Amino acid sequence: MPHPDQRPAASAADHRAMLSLVTRHEPPIADVLHAIEALATKVDRLHALLSPRQSALTLDPDEIARTMAQLRQARPLPKETPP
């Protein structure tokens, strides 16, 4: 004897009847393209936040080496000019 809270198992016909009530929903292609564009924008913003920023004070090591070489070759100027 089944328990009073138990329901009888649904038949395959019952399942098909329930599935026939469900309608497929496919979003318009414009909505899909808009969602992709919005996602790409968010990924670009995230990438910009995660990438290290270049400081305006950062110098190029090659530029420093060139400047030092030029300073080594330069002749010192006399502090006083002759009269």
Side-chain angles (χ1 to χ4, degrees):
M1 179 170 197
H3 190 273
D5 291 339
Q6 286 181 325
R7 291 186 231 157
S11 68
D14 292 338
H15 285 293
R16 280 193 296 273
M18 285 188 278
L19 288 176
S20 69
L21 298 174
V22 177
T23 59
R24 291 185 74 144
H25 173 70
E26 293 184 18
I29 191 73
D31 289 348
V32 173
L33 293 175
H34 180 64
I36 291 171
E37 184 179 336
L39 182 61
T41 302
K42 289 179 182 180
V43 169
D44 289 342
R45 283 189 206 150
L46 181 61
H47 181 69
L49 290 173
L50 295 177
S51 64
R53 294 183 180 176
Q54 291 288 335
S55 170
L57 300 176
T58 303
L59 297 175
D60 181 18
D62 294 332
E63 182 180 350
I64 294 171
R66 284 191 303 272
T67 304
M68 294 301 291
Q70 290 173 351
L71 289 173
R72 279 189 218 108
Q73 293 175 357
R75 291 185 225 160
L77 296 175
K79 291 183 181 181
E80 296 179 14
T81 57

